[in-house]
Amino acid sequence: MRTLLFSSILLISLFSSSTNAQSCSAHQFSNRLYATCTNLPVLNAFLHWNYHQVNHTVDLAYRHTGVTASNWVAWALNIDGTGMIGAQSLVAFQNSGGIRAYTSPISAFRTQLQEGPLSFGVPTISAEISGNQITIFATLQLPAGRTSFNQVWQDGLVSGNVPQRHALENANRASTGTVDFQTGQVSGEGGGAANTQRKRNVSPFLLFFFFFLGIISTY
Ligand SMILES: *[C@@H]1O[C@H](CO)[C@@H](O)[C@H](O)[C@H]1NC(C)=O
């Protein structure tokens, strides 16, 4: 009986760690903690954030995996529209001087993602490249009166320190949706709710439950 229980504990922990590996909530940042995250449905991208109601700001990490040092990545809010035109973008790529992170408002399809101020404040922005992953860290002063926005994200190649047009594969066309920084609700191609700290604690609870059963069975 004990062996059976302990092997189910083992199985459950193996199962929960393998499902978590696909999930944003399993990702640990070296010295940052985000309360909410969502697996964006395409382009191997993840959004992690803390929303501060008191000053209507959001601290976020946009993580984009499956890229190389010759890719650019971008994530944007589109305040008044959808898709690419109007996207208030955070951009990062590796250039000859190291990783560069900056803001770029997009007003035309022929953009080369030139640097420029967004329609809302971005007091901090930085980026990291590690293996096949680029992460953009930023603080946004969200436009007043709402917490839900259209979002769009993308990747492409860099040539001569200049971002080139992105591909037009299905994934590159499907990389839009909405995000509500307060409720964690995301919609679009992926839909559903973001992961919160509360959900992350479910599987440790299950483990504890089975461990407890294991102890009882020894009596
Ligand atoms: C907003 O408020 C939070 C929580 O009090 C604080 O940690 C953060 O530094 C503030 N952000 C800005 C940009 O003022």
Side-chain angles (χ1 to χ4, degrees), residues 52 54-55 57 59 123 139 141:
H52 306 296
V54 59
N55 50 20
T57 65
D59 299 317
T139 298
Q141 288 164 339

